[in-house]
Amino acid sequence: MTDRIDRRCFLAKGVLGAAAVGAVHTSIEEQTLQAAIEEGAVQANSADRPKTDIAPGSLPCGKIGNVSLSRLFIGGNLIGGWAHSRDLMYASKLFTSYNTEAKIFETLDLALACGINTIQLDPACWGPITKYNQQRSMPIQSMVCVPLIADKARMDEAIKRQIDLGATLLYSHGGATDSHMMNGGSTDVIAQMLDLIKAQGVPAGVGGHSLNMPVACERDKVGADYYVKTFHMDRYWSATPEERRVEYDWMRGNASDHNANNDNMWCNNPEETAAFMETVEKPWVAFKVMAAGAIKPQMAFPHAFRNGADFVIAGMFDFQVETDVKIALEALQKVGSRTRPWRA
């Protein structure tokens, strides 16, 4: 354990970077974002504690393993500018232009002040998070996705690298898992990854967009501690018509066919997903609950919690954090009894 901590500290000191965080909800917010950039409202004073009227400890937590996690995570998918923007060409550049390192720090300060204690993170985006955690007395926890590699030694190396950088939980990258299963890959590779993660003493999960993922993992008893699975309703304008949905179509895209998936849908079968997850006795972290900004959080959060999600990941800009937490608080207070018991 000492060696692991020393190695983590050594590697963390060498990591640099800057990035973007969040997801856009409406065109009005796009205008707000652009106005903030133009006015130069991107400077953050880390010495100032964010002001919020959300009382400390208001946002409920659940546990995966021995890790206490806020029911709402901040999404980190866009830290590298990976915007699910349908056919908008400017979105990724706009996000990274707004989310300077200072703005990322400001956003994380506000998230923690509002009760969010965990960020979902891609391995390529450690730079600002590592630097943030080095400079704060209260670091933010991280649930980090890792590639799915059949070679055991390489998989082990990839896992240890993320542990060294400070990962709190690890799971298989959703796109990597989808690609593996779409191409006929065995769940033995997933089980091997989970064993290697658990050997490092952190909770081990499996991520994916397809319902095939938890179905196969539960069938083959791969030993996942939790699942990270997309979940959003299909009642929004750009949703793929039901009769045109094909498994793994989000992996392919088809810009030439307006009726096909073109970076606009990630949960083709929400009813079936909710029904199957009722049978799963492991925690479920739901992501893409707003269909990458197509569904308002006022609809998305209650839908996810009411239908069985134990945690929700939501991409947010700084000006959305406090509002999103309040929406999550209201959703959790009103969820009442639900068919799927809380599994975390």
Side-chain angles (χ1 to χ4, degrees), residues 27-37 98 319:
S27 60
I28 293 175
E29 289 174 347
E30 287 183 357
Q31 296 168 17
T32 303
L33 174 57
Q34 185 60 50
I37 295 174
Y98 180 74
F319 53 81

Coordinates of all heavy atoms in Angstrom, one line a residue, residues 27-37 98 319:
S27 N -31.0 26.4 -25.7 CA -30.4 27.5 -26.6 C -30.2 28.7 -25.8 O -29.2 29.5 -26.0 CB -31.2 27.8 -27.8 OG -32.5 28.2 -27.4
I28 N -31.0 29.0 -24.8 CA -30.8 30.2 -23.9 C -29.5 30.0 -23.1 O -28.7 31.0 -23.0 CB -32.0 30.3 -22.9 CG1 -33.3 30.7 -23.7 CG2 -31.7 31.4 -21.9 CD1 -34.5 30.7 -22.8
E29 N -29.2 28.8 -22.7 CA -28.0 28.6 -22.0 C -26.8 28.7 -22.9 O -25.7 29.2 -22.5 CB -28.0 27.3 -21.3 CG -29.0 27.3 -20.1 CD -29.2 25.9 -19.4 OE1 -28.7 24.9 -20.1 OE2 -29.7 25.9 -18.4
E30 N -26.9 28.4 -24.2 CA -25.9 28.6 -25.1 C -25.5 30.1 -25.2 O -24.4 30.5 -25.3 CB -26.2 28.1 -26.5 CG -26.2 26.6 -26.6 CD -26.6 26.1 -28.0 OE1 -26.9 26.9 -28.9 OE2 -26.5 24.9 -28.2
Q31 N -26.6 30.9 -25.2 CA -26.4 32.3 -25.3 C -25.7 32.8 -24.0 O -24.9 33.7 -24.1 CB -27.8 33.0 -25.5 CG -28.4 32.7 -26.8 CD -29.9 33.1 -26.9 OE1 -30.3 34.0 -26.1 NE2 -30.6 32.6 -27.8
T32 N -26.2 32.3 -22.9 CA -25.5 32.7 -21.6 C -24.0 32.4 -21.6 O -23.2 33.2 -21.2 CB -26.2 32.0 -20.4 OG1 -27.6 32.3 -20.4 CG2 -25.6 32.4 -19.1
L33 N -23.7 31.2 -22.1 CA -22.4 30.7 -22.2 C -21.5 31.6 -23.1 O -20.4 32.1 -22.7 CB -22.3 29.3 -22.7 CG -21.0 28.7 -23.0 CD1 -20.1 28.7 -21.8 CD2 -21.2 27.2 -23.5
Q34 N -22.1 32.0 -24.3 CA -21.3 32.8 -25.2 C -21.1 34.2 -24.6 O -20.0 34.8 -24.7 CB -22.0 32.9 -26.5 CG -21.3 33.7 -27.6 CD -19.9 33.0 -27.9 OE1 -19.9 31.8 -28.1 NE2 -18.9 33.8 -27.8
A35 N -22.1 34.7 -23.9 CA -22.0 36.0 -23.3 C -21.0 36.0 -22.2 O -20.2 37.0 -22.1 CB -23.4 36.4 -22.7
A36 N -20.9 34.9 -21.4 CA -19.9 34.9 -20.4 C -18.5 34.9 -21.0 O -17.6 35.5 -20.4 CB -20.1 33.6 -19.6
I37 N -18.3 34.2 -22.1 CA -17.0 34.2 -22.7 C -16.6 35.6 -23.2 O -15.5 36.1 -23.0 CB -17.0 33.2 -23.9 CG1 -17.1 31.8 -23.4 CG2 -15.7 33.3 -24.7 CD1 -17.3 30.8 -24.5
Y98 N -14.7 28.0 -23.0 CA -15.3 28.5 -21.8 C -14.7 27.9 -20.6 O -14.3 28.6 -19.6 CB -16.8 28.2 -21.8 CG -17.5 28.7 -20.5 CD1 -17.7 30.1 -20.3 CD2 -17.9 27.8 -19.6 CE1 -18.4 30.5 -19.2 CE2 -18.6 28.2 -18.4 CZ -18.8 29.6 -18.2 OH -19.4 30.0 -17.1
F319 N -22.8 27.5 -14.2 CA -24.1 28.2 -13.9 C -25.3 27.2 -13.9 O -26.4 27.7 -13.6 CB -24.3 29.3 -15.0 CG -24.2 28.8 -16.4 CD1 -25.3 28.1 -17.0 CD2 -23.1 29.0 -17.2 CE1 -25.2 27.7 -18.3 CE2 -23.0 28.6 -18.5 CZ -24.1 27.9 -19.1

